[in-house]
Amino acid sequence: MTVLKTRELTKRYGNTAAVDNVSLTVEKSDIFGLIGQNGAGKTTLMRLITSLARPDSGSIELFGQADEAGLNAARARVGCVIETPALYPNLTAAQNLEYYRIQRGIPDKSVVGKSLEMVSLTGTGKKKFKNFSLGMKQRLGLALAILNSPDLIILDEPVNGLDPMGIIEMRDLMKRLNEQGITILISSHILSELSQVATKYAIIHQGRLIKSLTQEQLREECKRALSVTADDAAKAAVILETELNIRNYKQISANELRLYEYLDNPAEVTFQLNKGGVRVASIHEVGDSLEDYFTKTIGGESK
Ligand code: ADP
């Protein structure tokens, strides 16, 4: 089921398009990661989706609703933490949530306790918000976003500035919410961070969507391998299977094999192939780290 669809969404500030012709689709139960450098347009895109900003052109569809009235109703099913939520420094966690429960007209009083439990803040008692750690503050922001039991939550850089422990807690929390069937749209400027939680990715650069890929595709892109270019890749595969017992490989083309083992011994691979009558044109390691991949992907586009 499609939760969110944007079509050629564009938002300009002066002469620059903060969001430029972005079409993307988020399916139910995705943890959809928007990755891009600072200024790429992630926040603006989220603000358009949640109606904090109006698009210049393009359209948004939420839970199948695309007209004004339908969209407004659908937005009631969305919880978000985009700008720092206005939480009151002198109120406790429960008091802050209670304030917003009343303000939003949520009749069920138990949502306060449930939300606090979900973000592991039930033990904070009389502690005031101003005395919370950054991690606790971020989690309370999230509790606010889930107060109305949303089906989609939108989180802008939720782990920004958190310490490693806080990052792990936030990540676990997102996974728990997702296991309950909540779809998540999350942004980050650090791909390796996002990759620990997201199931799909959209790479945004200078307002444009440059690439969409799934978790598996990203893994494949960033997997280290030994690329063997030879005159006959199929024959090479047979030789490597029989002589070196290599099973973990992929034939890329008629001339290229990728081996995911024997990375530490290309000489042996070359030797066996030569012995079997295959001519090796080149053999070298390929594959990027996540950050290298990200830099390469946006670098190739900015020219
Ligand atoms: P990100 O969230 O990826 O860091 P933003 O969406 O905040 O990126 O910003 C995208 C671009 O739009 C930036 O160049 C930013 O300066 C510009 N921008 C964002 N909001 C406004 C605004 N309200 N007025 C003018 N320019 C803006």
Side-chain angles (χ1 to χ4, degrees):
M1 195 188 89
T2 301
V3 166
L4 166 69
K5 210 177 189 57
T6 71
R7 290 187 186 88
E8 296 170 11
L9 205 57
T10 299
K11 174 73 182 176
R12 281 185 209 90
Y13 288 112
N15 284 332
T16 45
V19 170
D20 192 357
N21 233 14
V22 170
S23 301
L24 57 79
T25 303
V26 178
E27 301 286 344
K28 181 167 161 52
S29 297
D30 282 349
I31 302 184
F32 195 102
L34 286 178
I35 166 87
Q37 295 171 314
N38 287 327
K42 307 180 294 296
T43 307
T44 305
L45 180 57
M46 289 178 158
R47 296 182 78 236
L48 292 173
I49 296 164
T50 52
S51 83
L52 290 167
R54 287 192 71 84
D56 289 306
S57 57
S59 65
I60 298 168
E61 188 184 308
L62 263 177
F63 302 105
Q65 304 293 320
D67 59 65
E68 195 75 21
L71 261 178
N72 280 337
R75 282 192 175 111
R77 298 170 64 184
V78 181
C80 64
V81 187
I82 295 184
E83 277 119 13
T84 323
L87 291 159
Y88 293 90
N90 288 315
L91 297 184
T92 66
Q95 286 167 340
N96 262 300
L97 293 189
E98 180 63 10
Y99 171 85
Y100 279 102
R101 181 188 72 77
I102 293 165
Q103 198 209 39
R104 292 185 191 168
I106 303 169
D108 179 7
K109 283 191 173 188
S110 73
V111 297
V112 170
K114 280 183 197 152
S115 298
L116 285 179
E117 198 167 321
M118 188 45 107
V119 302
S120 311
L121 282 179
T122 41
T124 57
K126 291 198 172 118
K127 201 184 188 95
K128 289 176 176 167
F129 180 71
K130 64 181 175 194
N131 297 321
F132 279 19
S133 69
L134 182 61
M136 290 162 74
K137 285 181 175 169
Q138 302 275 72
R139 270 161 32 224
L140 189 58
L142 187 49
L144 188 58
I146 61 175
L147 207 54
N148 58 340
S149 315
D151 296 306
L152 167 66
I153 42 184
I154 299 182
L155 307 170
D156 193 13
E157 302 258 6
V159 302
N160 218 5
L162 293 185
D163 59 18
M165 203 53 223
I167 292 176
I168 292 170
E169 280 171 355
M170 192 53 104
R171 210 183 276 151
D172 288 347
L173 180 51
M174 283 184 259
K175 285 182 183 159
R176 277 210 305 278
L177 291 167
N178 184 244
E179 277 160 15
Q180 299 184 356
I182 301 178
T183 308
I184 302 178
L185 177 65
I186 172 188
S187 71
S188 176
H189 61 284
I190 304 168
L191 181 56
S192 50
E193 214 157 63
L194 213 49
S195 75
Q196 315 247 4
V197 56
T199 57
K200 287 189 190 157
Y201 303 84
I203 298 178
I204 311 268
H205 187 56
Q206 294 172 349
R208 284 180 299 128
L209 193 155
I210 292 196
K211 197 170 172 93
S212 308
L213 66 175
T214 63
Q215 175 87 290
E216 295 73 45
Q217 286 166 332
L218 181 66
R219 283 218 187 99
E220 193 59 42
E221 293 275 5
C222 296
K223 200 147 118 184
R224 298 211 75 79
L226 206 55
S227 163
V228 181
T229 311
D231 57 351
D232 186 344
K235 188 174 169 193
V238 174
I239 295 168
L240 295 176
E241 281 206 22
T242 42
E243 298 303 321
L244 297 178
N245 200 29
I246 289 177
R247 293 286 182 275
N248 198 0
Y249 70 87
K250 203 163 151 181
Q251 184 170 342
I252 304 294
S253 68
N255 298 104
E256 189 191 354
L257 282 185
R258 288 216 175 156
L259 315 183
Y260 301 105
E261 49 189 311
Y262 268 87
L263 271 81
D264 54 350
N265 202 351
E268 182 63 22
V269 172
T270 311
F271 174 76
Q272 291 297 342
L273 291 177
N274 284 338
K275 199 170 72 148
V278 169
R279 282 169 176 275
V280 177
S282 82
I283 181 162
H284 62 273
E285 222 175 291
V286 292
D288 296 317
S289 75
L290 288 166
E291 297 317 323
D292 285 347
Y293 172 72
F294 174 47
T295 310
K296 195 173 77 181
T297 307
I298 63 172
E301 276 292 320
S302 54
K303 276 170 204 128

